[in-house]
Amino acid sequence: MKSKIKHYMKEILFFAVLTIILANAISLYKSQDLSQKPLDIQNFKLIDHQEYKIPDKKPIMIHFWATWCPVCKVEASNIDYIAKHFNVVTIAVNSKNNADIQKYMQKNHYSFKVVNDNNGMLSSKFHIAGFPTTFIYGKNKKLLFSDVGYTSTLSLYLKMWWASLSK
């Protein structure tokens, strides 16, 4: 019985490692066409009509998502956690109007900053082809990381921590 449990544990571990490798390979492939330019945006208008100024000499995460995206819904709590510890701006694409996005945020108890990209201008500027898509910029606003698809809280936290160490 114990050997069967060991065997199944090895199988599960192998499958988990293989899944992580495959997910990262797919993300790397999908992120090839994303904009690699340094962040040249100085501020964003949030759905609550406030202006959010990109902080100088601090890393920032720009996260593209949509209220209708199933993977985005699973990842949203990760983004909310990271936003409590680092500078994060999220961009809701084709997600109706500001009031609808605010209802979605309230219903799910999320507090991250949101920009409504209902006309797709920002997603076009960043060459977004899939959701969710995440960009992490260093203190000098140069792109350090980009991910397409689900990203774990640990991965996002480590990338933002690394970005905070960058020059």
Side-chain angles (χ1 to χ4, degrees), residues 141-159:
K141 305 305 177 238
K142 289 187 180 173
L143 183 64
L144 298 177
F145 303 101
S146 60
D147 293 302
V148 178
Y150 178 85
T151 308
S152 71
T153 304
L154 179 61
S155 178
L156 291 170
Y157 192 92
L158 291 173
K159 289 173 182 176

Side-chain angles (χ1 to χ4, degrees), residues 2 4 16 22 24 27 31 43 53 68 74 87 127 132 148 155 162:
K2 207 172 193 180
K4 275 189 172 185
L22 183 60
N24 282 305
S27 177
S31 65
N43 52 47
K53 185 180 183 320
W68 46 264
V74 173
N87 295 309
H127 305 189
V148 178
S155 178
W162 184 262

Side-chain angles (χ1 to χ4, degrees), residues 63-67 69-77 104 110 131-132:
H63 178 74
F64 287 83
W65 62 287
T67 56
C69 164
V71 177
C72 301
K73 289 177 182 179
V74 173
E75 187 182 48
S77 62
Y104 176 85
Y110 298 138
F131 300 101

Side-chain angles (χ1 to χ4, degrees), residues 3 9-10 27 43-44 91 147 154:
S3 66
M9 292 304 291
K10 285 180 184 177
S27 177
N43 52 47
F44 289 101
I91 301 172
D147 293 302
L154 179 61

Side-chain angles (χ1 to χ4, degrees), residues 28-43:
L28 181 63
Y29 175 75
K30 287 184 172 183
S31 65
Q32 291 176 344
D33 294 330
L34 298 174
S35 174
Q36 302 296 313
K37 296 177 184 175
L39 185 61
D40 61 356
I41 297 172
Q42 302 303 316
N43 52 47

Side-chain angles (χ1 to χ4, degrees), residues 102-166:
Q102 285 173 325
K103 285 178 195 169
Y104 176 85
M105 297 290 290
Q106 289 169 351
K107 175 184 168 193
N108 293 291
H109 308 287
Y110 298 138
S111 59
F112 48 81
K113 295 170 183 63
V114 182
V115 175
N116 186 358
D117 188 29
N118 57 354
N119 60 10
M121 287 181 57
L122 286 170
S123 58
S124 177
K125 176 182 175 74
F126 285 82
H127 305 189
I128 304 301
F131 300 101
T133 297
T134 305
F135 296 88
I136 296 177
Y137 295 90
K139 296 176 186 178
N140 58 3
K141 305 305 177 238
K142 289 187 180 173
L143 183 64
L144 298 177
F145 303 101
S146 60
D147 293 302
V148 178
Y150 178 85
T151 308
S152 71
T153 304
L154 179 61
S155 178
L156 291 170
Y157 192 92
L158 291 173
K159 289 173 182 176
M160 287 301 293
W161 172 76
W162 184 262
S164 70
L165 299 176
S166 70

